[in-house]
Amino acid sequence: MTTVIEVRGMSCQHCVNSIEGALKKKGVSAKVDLPGNRVTVDFEEKAITIAQIKSTIEDQGFDVVS
């Protein structure tokens, strides 16, 4: 499944690496769009929930809007 999550607080390449790296460890493919404040994620619903993905992003210090 692919979905887009709105995230606040991202400003640099370090932010991109933090989010993409943390999600990769969970088996989630992620692409951060800094100017758009969005993270596009591709994941297996049987392996991880959208709530867990959002929690992982928040654990990196960012605010999930949607």
Side-chain angles (χ1 to χ4, degrees), residues 10-51:
M10 304 181 299
S11 61
C12 63
Q13 189 60 41
H14 177 72
C15 299
V16 172
N17 294 342
S18 293
I19 293 172
E20 290 180 356
L23 291 174
K24 185 176 182 179
K25 288 179 183 176
K26 304 269 185 179
V28 177
S29 173
K31 178 69 176 148
V32 174
D33 171 14
L34 279 178
N37 294 310
R38 292 184 298 263
V39 179
T40 302
V41 293
D42 186 26
F43 63 101
E44 285 292 328
E45 293 178 272
K46 294 177 185 175
I48 192 167
T49 66
I50 192 67

